[in-house]
C-alpha cells in the first residue's frame, strides 16, 4: 500500500497488477493446473485466459523433452496412428505423474506396417525384439513390443497386428484412471480429468482370465502412483463429473463427455492443404465418438471395464479421406522386413526400408497371403 505522502504516480502504480514479462508468464502457464490459470492471469497482468490456455496445452515444449523437432514427431504420429500414453501422457496434464526415469510408451493403431514406419521416423536406437516375452504373454501373444532409446530416454512402441484392436482399447484396460490419458498428433485427452486434477485416482478391476499377468502387476503399478501423490478413492458416478440420470447397471462414457478433457492441437498446427485440414477435423470427430462403459465388479465393490464397448466409425469421413493414400506392402526377409508402397498413379515402388531390429518379431500366419496394408482400415487411435 502506498504511504500518505506518496505521489499520485506512485499510488497509481501500487494499484496496478504486478506485470510479469509475457515469456515468463507463458512458461509458468505450462506448469499450472487449468483450474488455476485464471488466477495466474490475474496475478501477472500479462496473459488473457485464452493465451494462458494456449501456452498451458501446447504439446511442443513438452515433447521437446524427448525430441528436437516436436512438430515432426506430431506429424509422424498423425500419419501412422500413434499415441503416447501412460505416465508420460498423464504428466502433460498432471506433472507429478511421471519421474525422470519413466518410459515413453507409444501405442500404434495400424499393425506392423504402421509401427515399422513410425519407428523409422522416430529415429530411436531400437533393440532386437524377443518373441515370447513376458509382456507379449500378458497380452495373449498378440501384443507386440519394440524397445529402444532416444536422447537418454527409454522408448517402447507397442501395437496389435489385428485391425480390430487399437491403442484406445488398450488404454481402456489400464489399471487406474490416472494413466488413462493419451497424446495423439491430433489432440490430447484425459479420460478422467475431473478425478485426476484433484490428485486422485480410481482403480479398476482387471479381468484375471483374459489378462492374468496384468492383474497380478496392477497393485504394484497403483502403489507407484500413490507414492507420487495420487490418492486412491472409491468409485462413484458423481466423482466422474458426468451428469447421467439413467438408471442403468453401467455408466456409459464417451471422450466428448464432461468427465474428459480434450485439447485440440489444431491451434498449434499449420496444414499445407485443405485435405489435411479436413482430415484433422474428421480425426477429432471420430476420437470424440470413442466410447466405453464403467460396470460394477464382483459384489459391486469395484469397477470393471467393458472393452467390448470400445468402438469408432468404421466408414466415417476420417477413413474415407485416408483411402486416397498409398497401399503399402510388407515383405519378411532374413535380415528383417522391407516395406514398399505404390501410389494410385505410379507403378513402381516409391520407398523401401529395411529394419533389421524386426528380425525376431512374429510373422503373419502362412495361410495369410495378403501382405498389403491400408491405413484407412484403422481408427486414428
Amino acid at each position: 500500500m502506498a504511504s500518505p505522502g506518496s505521489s499520485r504516480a506512485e499510488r497509481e502504480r501500487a494499484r496496478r497488477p504486478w506485470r510479469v514479462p509475457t515469456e515468463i508468464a507463458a512458461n509458468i502457464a505450462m506448469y499450472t493446473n487449468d483450474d488455476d490459470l485464471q488466477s495466474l492471469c490475474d496475478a501477472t497482468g500479462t496473459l488473457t485466459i485464452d493465451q494462458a490456455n494456449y501456452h498451458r496445452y501446447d504439446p511442443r515444449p513438452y515433447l521437446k523433452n524427448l525430441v528436437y523437432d516436436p512438430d515432426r514427431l506430431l506429424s509422424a504420429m498423425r500419419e501412422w496412428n500413434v499415441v503416447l500414453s501412460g505416465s508420460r501422457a498423464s504428466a502433460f496434464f498432471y506433472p507429478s505423474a511421471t519421474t525422470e526415469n519413466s518410459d515413453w510408451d507409444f501405442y500404434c493403431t495400424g499393425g506392423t506396417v504402421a509401427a515399422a514406419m513410425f519407428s523409422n521416423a522416430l529415429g530411436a536406437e531400437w533393440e532386437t525384439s524377443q518373441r515370447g516375452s513376458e509382456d507379449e504373454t500378458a497380452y495373449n501373444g498378440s501384443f507386440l513390443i519394440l524397445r529402444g532409446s532416444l536422447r537418454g530416454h527409454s522408448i517402447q512402441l507397442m501395437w496389435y497386428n489385428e485391425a480390430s484392436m487399437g491403442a484406445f482399447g488398450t488404454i481402456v484396460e489400464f489399471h487406474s484412471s490416472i494413466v488413462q490419458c493419451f497424446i495423439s498428433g491430433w489432440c490430447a485427452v484425459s479420460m478422467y480429468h475431473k478425478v485426476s486434477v484433484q490428485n486422485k485416482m480410481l482403480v479398476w478391476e482387471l479381468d484375471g482370465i483374459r489378462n492374468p499377468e496384468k492383474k497380478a502387476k496392477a497393485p504394484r503399478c497403483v502403489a507407484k502412483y500413490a507414492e507420487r501423490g495420487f490418492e486412491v478413492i472409491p468409485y462413484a458416478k458423481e466423482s466422474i463429473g458426468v451428469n447421467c440420470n439413467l438408471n442403468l447397471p453401467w455408466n456409459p462414457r464417451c471422450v466428448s463427455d464432461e468427465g474428459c478433457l480434450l485439447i485440440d492441437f489444431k491451434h498449434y498446427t499449420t496444414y499445407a492443404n485443405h485435405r489435411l485440414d479436413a482430415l484433422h477435423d474428421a480425426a477429432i470427430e471420430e476420437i470424440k465418438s470413442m466410447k466405453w462403459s464403467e460396470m460394477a465388479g464382483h459384489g459391486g465393490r469395484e469397477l470393471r471395464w467393458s472393452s467390448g464397448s470400445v468402438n469408432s466409425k468404421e466408414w466415417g469421413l476420417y477413413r474415407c479421406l485416408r483411402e486416397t493414400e498409398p497401399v503399402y506392402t510388407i515383405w519378411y526377409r532374413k535380415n528383417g522386413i522391407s516395406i514398399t508402397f505404390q501410389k494410385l498413379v505410379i507403378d513402381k515402388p516409391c520407398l523401401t526400408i529395411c529394419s533389421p531390429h524386426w528380425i525376431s518379431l512374429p510373422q503373419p500366419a502362412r495361410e495369410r497371403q495378403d501382405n498389403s496394408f491400408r491405413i484407412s482400415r484403422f481408427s486414428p487411435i
Side-chain angles (χ1 to χ4, degrees):
M1 178 181 295
S3 62
S6 301
S7 68
R8 180 177 180 181
E10 290 174 335
R11 291 195 297 271
E12 284 293 325
R13 284 196 296 270
R15 283 196 291 266
R16 293 173 188 164
W18 177 54
R19 294 185 66 83
V20 175
T22 302
E23 183 178 352
I24 295 177
N27 287 334
I28 296 173
M30 289 190 293
Y31 302 98
T32 304
N33 284 335
D34 60 344
D35 290 342
D36 298 324
L37 286 175
Q38 185 60 61
S39 297
L40 173 67
C41 296
D42 296 339
T44 60
T46 303
L47 301 175
T48 67
I49 189 61
D50 289 340
Q51 291 170 332
N53 275 299
Y54 177 90
H55 292 294
R56 171 61 184 87
Y57 291 113
D58 185 345
R60 295 167 297 183
Y62 181 72
L63 294 175
K64 271 193 173 181
N65 292 306
L66 177 65
V67 296
Y68 292 112
D69 188 349
D71 287 304
R72 184 171 178 268
L73 172 60
L74 289 166
S75 177
M77 293 169 73
R78 288 191 295 269
E79 185 170 7
W80 302 112
N81 287 352
V82 173
V83 302
L84 174 70
S85 193
S87 64
R88 290 290 185 176
S90 297
F92 176 68
F93 296 98
Y94 323 107
S96 62
T98 192
T99 68
E100 290 184 3
N101 298 322
S102 296
D103 293 340
W104 293 77
D105 295 334
F106 291 94
Y107 295 81
C108 179
T109 301
T112 298
V113 170
M117 298 296 280
F118 178 76
S119 74
N120 189 59
L122 186 59
E125 294 183 8
W126 299 105
E127 304 170 7
T128 301
S129 181
Q130 299 298 317
R131 296 183 63 175
S133 68
E134 179 182 350
D135 297 285
E136 289 176 22
T137 303
Y139 290 90
N140 297 327
S142 60
F143 195 64
L144 306 179
I145 301 179
L146 195 64
R147 297 179 176 87
S149 61
L150 180 62
R151 296 180 63 192
H153 296 280
S154 296
I155 307 290
Q156 294 190 122
L157 175 60
M158 294 162 272
W159 72 99
Y160 286 88
N161 274 327
E162 295 83 0
S164 59
M165 190 64 173
F168 190 75
T170 303
I171 296 167
V172 161
E173 295 183 341
F174 281 172
H175 53 77
S176 62
S177 59
I178 184 57
V179 286
Q180 287 170 319
C181 304
F182 62 85
I183 299 174
S184 74
W186 314 104
C187 63
V189 171
S190 172
M191 296 165 62
Y192 285 88
H193 178 65
K194 295 294 178 67
V195 177
S196 301
V197 76
Q198 302 178 62
N199 289 330
K200 297 178 180 180
M201 62 177 169
L202 302 165
V203 177
W204 308 128
E205 178 185 346
L206 301 180
D207 190 331
I209 297 177
R210 291 184 62 241
N211 297 306
E213 295 194 28
K214 284 176 67 176
K215 184 176 178 67
K217 292 178 183 178
R220 297 197 302 273
C221 296
V222 171
K224 178 172 64 176
Y225 289 95
E227 291 173 359
R228 296 174 187 174
F230 294 92
E231 176 191 356
V232 176
I233 61 171
Y235 173 78
K237 289 184 179 181
E238 296 76 18
S239 65
I240 304 301
V242 179
N243 294 321
C244 181
N245 297 320
L246 300 175
N247 186 22
L248 298 172
W250 63 85
N251 192 32
R253 295 294 313 281
C254 182
V255 169
S256 60
D257 69 29
E258 295 176 347
C260 295
L261 175 62
L262 184 147
I263 306 299
D264 192 334
F265 288 165
K266 197 168 189 178
H267 300 294
Y268 311 106
T269 308
T270 301
Y271 290 114
N273 55 59
H274 292 302
R275 176 189 168 276
L276 293 176
D277 192 83
L279 187 63
H280 183 109
D281 293 341
I284 292 294
E285 182 177 348
E286 183 160 336
I287 290 170
K288 285 182 176 180
S289 75
M290 304 297 276
K291 300 177 178 66
W292 71 100
S293 61
E294 301 158 355
M295 305 179 69
H298 296 301
R301 295 186 301 273
E302 300 181 65
L303 203 70
R304 175 174 297 159
W305 284 99
S306 175
S307 58
S309 63
V310 174
N311 61 61
S312 63
K313 300 176 182 177
E314 186 171 356
W315 299 109
L317 180 59
Y318 174 79
R319 302 193 197 192
C320 290
L321 288 171
R322 301 214 72 170
E323 276 287 338
T324 63
E325 297 183 18
V327 177
Y328 293 80
T329 304
I330 183 170
W331 308 92
Y332 291 87
R333 317 229 184 243
K334 292 182 179 180
N335 63 339
I337 63 171
S338 293
I339 297 172
T340 62
F341 76 79
Q342 292 182 323
K343 292 187 177 180
L344 297 179
V345 295
I346 299 178
D347 295 329
K348 62 182 180 180
C350 300
L351 171 70
T352 301
I353 66 169
C354 187
S355 305
H357 49 263
W358 296 78
I359 293 174
S360 58
L361 285 174
Q363 298 182 16
R366 290 185 178 275
E367 60 270 15
R368 179 181 166 186
Q369 301 297 321
D370 183 14
N371 285 342
S372 64
F373 162 84
R374 281 186 178 274
I375 195 70
S376 58
R377 292 176 54 212
F378 301 89
S379 70
I381 59 171

